[in-house]
Amino acid sequence: MTAVREGEERGRYYADARHRHVAGAWSDFDPTLPLAERPGWQAVTSALSTG
């Protein structure tokens, strides 16, 4: 869990340094699931499809 939060923090820092907007952050905790079945990935694709 710490690694996920650290990765998100680094990503937000990177985006902020480049004046980019972060629309959201999602993660999945079961890497054994196929990508299309992961809740985090579904949230990402949904956010992208709704603009």
Side-chain angles (χ1 to χ4, degrees):
M1 186 74 147
T2 301
V4 170
R5 289 186 184 167
E6 183 178 306
E8 180 183 343
E9 184 178 317
R10 287 181 183 200
R12 289 181 183 278
Y13 178 81
Y14 180 90
D16 187 52
R18 287 151 184 81
H19 308 286
R20 307 283 185 185
H21 174 74
V22 175
W26 299 273
S27 58
D28 289 311
F29 298 103
D30 186 357
T32 63
L33 286 175
L35 185 59
E37 294 178 21
R38 297 181 191 180
W41 182 249
Q42 292 171 358
V44 169
T45 57
S46 176
L48 289 171
S49 68
T50 60

